[in-house]
Amino acid sequence: MKKTVKFEVERTTHAEVEIELDVPDDFLDEDGEVCDEDGLRDWAEENHDWASQDLVFESIQSTEVLDVMNTY
């Protein structure tokens, strides 16, 4: 018997973003090249100004059903 099922899912994705950012000088050497990629990654993680930008590439890594909310 066919039923309509409403359920909640969680998706984990992998994406690439390519945008122009004002990189703080703390992460650059005297030639303007990035010298602290780990620090820059942490900074980008904390400063989500880029999050509303279009993604260059996105791929779903996993999908998990969390909860069945309604069935009729």
Side-chain angles (χ1 to χ4, degrees):
M1 173 186 318
K2 287 196 181 219
K3 295 277 205 182
T4 299
V5 180
K6 180 179 180 181
F7 53 94
E8 181 179 15
V9 298
E10 177 179 79
R11 280 199 170 144
T12 302
T13 64
H14 171 80
E16 293 177 6
V17 177
E18 185 174 347
I19 61 170
E20 197 169 299
L21 293 173
D22 288 322
V23 175
D25 292 338
D26 300 348
F27 308 113
L28 305 175
D29 63 16
E30 55 268 345
D31 295 326
E33 298 297 319
V34 173
C35 62
D36 182 4
E37 288 186 7
D38 291 337
L40 181 57
R41 183 193 62 236
D42 293 343
W43 174 82
E45 176 84 22
E46 294 170 7
N47 297 281
H48 291 277
D49 296 339
W50 53 266
S52 63
Q53 301 295 314
D54 290 333
L55 302 176
V56 173
F57 166 83
E58 183 174 21
S59 139
I60 296 171
Q61 301 298 305
S62 67
T63 301
E64 178 182 346
V65 176
L66 299 177
D67 187 29
V68 173
M69 301 162 74
N70 197 0
T71 304
Y72 51 95

